[in-house]
């Protein structure tokens, strides 16, 4: 990795597990542009990836769906067929690009950037992008959510929790647990009996890690 390319990403050295930093600074866009410039990605594929991943990073699945619905507005297909087509294209792109291709590219970037950092004299011992890679694999964005998925909690329920309780996105895991304890109706409205029991066990493990 050339020094000028490396400098584009120096800010991530101390934020390699910070999903918010990664998304707000649109780091994935810069990575895709760099891979295109170095011909790791061809121009056509890079353009598609850029559009899909940029939209997903900022607006999630709904953003991609809105894009495809908008493109089909002028179609002569009946409304039901247009919506079916939009959903199919949306979930194909999420499965094939967001959840499969992008994590592979991020693993490659992580390896290249880590090695380049060491060669340039940076301490890269704590550089670890696993949280960001899991975000694209699973769509889980909070510290609490990442802990819960490692604990075996259903990813769909975690995503539902993050969507319905966006406040936890600004909190560390323990802080988010305390917030949910103060608002138990949120847990009862989202989790079934098994999930509530699992959440309680996960909470105890998290407390021990404190």
């Amino acid at each position: 990795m050339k020094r000028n390319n490396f400098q584009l990403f120096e800010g991530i050295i101390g934020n390699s597990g910070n999903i918010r930093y990664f998304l707000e600074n649109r780091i994935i866009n810069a990575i895709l542009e760099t891979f295109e410039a170095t011909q790791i990605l061809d121009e056509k594929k890079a353009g598609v990836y850029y559009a899909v991943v940029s939209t997903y990073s900022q607006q999630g699945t709904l953003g991609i769906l809105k894009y495809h619905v908008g493109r089909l507005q002028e179609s002569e297909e009946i409304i039901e067929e247009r919506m079916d087509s939009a959903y199919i294209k949306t979930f194909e792109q999420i499965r094939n690009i967001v959840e499969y291709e992008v994590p592979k590219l991020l693993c490659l970037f992580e390896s290249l950037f880590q090695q380049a950092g060491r060669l340039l004299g940076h301490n890269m011992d704590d550089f670890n992008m696993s949280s960001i890679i899991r975000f694209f694999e699973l769509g889980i964005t909070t510290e609490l959510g990442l802990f819960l998925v490692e604990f075996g909690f259903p990813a769909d329920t975690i995503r539902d929790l993050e969507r319905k309780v966006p406040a936890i996105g600004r909190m560390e895991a323990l802080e988010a647990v305390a917030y949910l304890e103060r608002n138990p109706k949120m847990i009862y409205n989202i989790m079934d009996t098994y999930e509530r029991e699992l959440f309680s066990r996960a909470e105890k493990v998290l407390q021990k890690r404190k």
Side-chain angles (χ1 to χ4, degrees):
M1 182 178 284
K2 296 180 180 178
R3 181 179 290 273
N4 58 338
N5 285 336
F6 184 88
Q7 289 172 340
L8 286 172
F9 306 104
E10 279 190 296
I12 202 176
I13 292 175
N15 291 284
S16 61
N18 188 332
I19 297 170
R20 180 170 294 138
Y21 176 91
F22 191 88
L23 297 180
E24 289 180 351
N25 289 277
R26 301 178 186 269
I27 303 296
I28 187 62
N29 298 5
I31 291 173
L32 292 175
E33 288 169 356
T34 300
F35 279 174
E36 180 184 2
T38 54
Q39 298 184 329
I40 291 174
L41 283 176
D42 64 56
E43 183 178 355
K44 183 177 179 181
K45 185 176 285 187
V48 174
Y49 284 15
Y50 188 96
V52 171
V53 178
S54 180
T55 301
Y56 181 83
S57 296
Q58 302 301 317
Q59 302 175 46
T61 301
L62 186 59
I64 298 177
L65 180 60
K66 285 181 178 177
Y67 168 79
H68 286 299
V69 170
R71 289 200 65 186
L72 292 168
Q73 289 297 330
E74 304 302 321
S75 170
E76 294 182 359
E77 295 177 354
I78 60 175
I79 185 67
E80 290 83 1
E81 292 174 344
R82 291 205 303 265
M83 290 304 298
D84 286 346
S85 179
Y87 273 104
I88 289 169
K89 289 179 179 177
T90 295
F91 289 108
E92 279 182 350
Q93 289 186 330
I94 289 174
R95 182 178 65 251
N96 296 332
I97 297 175
V98 175
E99 295 178 353
Y100 181 69
E101 292 294 343
V102 168
K104 288 199 303 180
L105 290 172
L106 287 174
C107 286
L108 174 60
F109 171 81
E110 180 182 36
S111 177
L112 293 172
F113 188 73
Q114 198 167 41
Q115 182 62 22
R118 290 189 177 119
L119 291 173
L120 292 169
H122 293 274
N123 182 349
M124 305 298 286
D125 291 348
D126 295 327
F127 187 78
N128 186 335
M129 293 180 62
S130 59
S131 295
I132 292 165
I133 292 168
R134 283 199 300 273
F135 163 74
F136 287 100
E137 288 176 331
L138 302 172
I140 292 169
T141 63
T142 63
E143 185 177 310
L144 175 60
L146 291 170
F147 168 76
L148 290 175
V149 78
E150 289 176 358
F151 196 79
F153 212 85
D156 286 342
T157 302
I158 297 171
R159 286 191 291 266
D160 197 28
L161 178 67
E162 292 178 339
R163 181 173 58 84
K164 292 180 178 177
V165 192
I168 66 173
R170 301 185 294 273
M171 302 174 186
E172 295 182 354
L174 280 171
E175 185 183 2
V177 165
Y179 176 81
L180 291 169
E181 284 181 337
R182 294 194 300 270
N183 298 276
K185 285 186 178 180
M186 292 178 178
I187 294 176
Y188 276 86
N189 288 338
I190 296 169
M191 302 179 194
D192 60 26
T193 302
Y194 166 76
E195 290 167 344
R196 291 196 295 270
E197 291 175 356
L198 187 61
F199 183 82
S200 179
R201 293 201 297 272
E203 179 186 347
K204 291 174 182 177
V205 172
L206 188 59
Q207 292 286 352
K208 289 179 181 178
R209 289 186 182 182
K210 185 177 178 181

